[in-house]
């Protein structure tokens, strides 16, 4: 069952890309403090993820921070080395926390798996974005088309945050 507003994110072990290399941490320690945006992508280096989804968060990071976001996190069912290489290629190391859900444990726990076996990619994450407050889901937006970046885009979440503050 998919996680919904009012629920606490599950506490599972993840890897995140740190300046000195991959580091293990619990999902709640990464996502559980303050206002956080976490967005899930089907795969690092894939077209929609690399062309618009992740770059949008890099481009709007300052505005999102000004709107009260303390952490912007990208999560994918990829290993930490791939997430680190992707972060370097797209130059997001300073603006987005890159999280590896290498075994898909977090993705399964929040009920947002995507069966991409027909494309040779295995089980991945659906494309989504969530606004969390102290680890509790405030809002969740799942893309109706995994190749599209509309409801989970940085611009869309920034608009929602601004509307909340209005």
């Amino acid at each position: 069952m998919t996680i919904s507003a009012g629920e606490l994110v599950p506490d599972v072990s993840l890897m995140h890309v740190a300046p000195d290399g991959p580091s293990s941490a619990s999902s709640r320690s990464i996502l559980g403090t303050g206002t956080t945006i976490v967005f899930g992508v089907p795969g690092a280096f894939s077209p929609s993820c690399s062309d618009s989804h992740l770059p949008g968060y890099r481009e709007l990071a300052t505005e999102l921070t000004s709107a009260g976001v303390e952490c912007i996190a990208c999560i994918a069912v990829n290993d930490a080395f791939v997430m680190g290489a992707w972060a370097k290629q797209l130059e997001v190391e300073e603006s987005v926390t890159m999280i590896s859900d290498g075994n898909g444990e977090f993705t399964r726990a929040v009920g947002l798996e995507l069966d991409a076996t027909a494309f040779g990619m295995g089980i991945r994450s659906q494309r989504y974005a969530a606004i969390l407050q102290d680890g509790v889901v405030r809002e969740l937006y799942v893309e109706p088309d995994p190749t599209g970046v509309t409801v989970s885009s940085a611009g869309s979440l920034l608009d929602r945050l601004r509307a909340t503050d209005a």
Side-chain angles (χ1 to χ4, degrees):
M1 188 153 116
T2 303
I3 197 166
S4 59
E7 293 183 319
L8 185 63
V9 294
D11 198 19
V12 300
S13 181
L14 298 168
M15 299 294 287
H16 69 98
V17 179
D20 56 341
S23 179
S24 179
S26 73
S27 52
R28 288 203 190 132
S29 70
I30 301 170
L31 305 172
T33 303
T35 302
T36 299
I37 289 177
V38 60
F39 65 101
V41 298
F45 294 104
S46 59
S48 297
C49 304
S50 291
D51 295 341
S52 60
H53 210 182
L54 180 54
Y57 281 95
R58 178 196 64 223
E59 292 161 12
L60 293 177
T62 300
E63 291 179 65
L64 289 163
T65 300
S66 294
V69 175
E70 298 166 55
C71 175
I72 302 167
C74 175
I75 189 166
V77 182
N78 288 108
D79 68 65
F81 298 104
V82 167
M83 295 299 283
W86 192 34
K88 283 183 182 174
Q89 182 190 49
L90 294 181
E91 300 175 344
V92 300
E93 300 98 335
E94 299 299 316
S95 55
V96 178
T97 299
M98 302 297 281
I99 303 172
S100 165
D101 184 20
N103 296 324
E105 292 175 39
F106 182 84
T107 299
R108 269 190 308 282
V110 295
L112 289 166
E113 308 99 308
L114 171 69
D115 184 352
T117 55
F119 308 104
M121 294 174 63
I123 304 299
R124 296 296 181 111
S125 173
Q126 291 184 50
R127 185 179 308 283
Y128 69 91
I131 300 171
L132 310 177
Q133 187 62 52
D134 297 323
V136 175
V137 177
R138 233 172 65 188
E139 301 173 44
L140 172 66
Y141 302 96
V142 180
E143 290 292 346
D145 172 4
T147 62
V149 181
T150 56
V151 298
S152 67
S153 72
S156 180
L157 265 67
L158 181 59
D159 290 344
R160 288 183 180 92
L161 288 164
R162 287 178 174 160
T164 303
D165 289 341

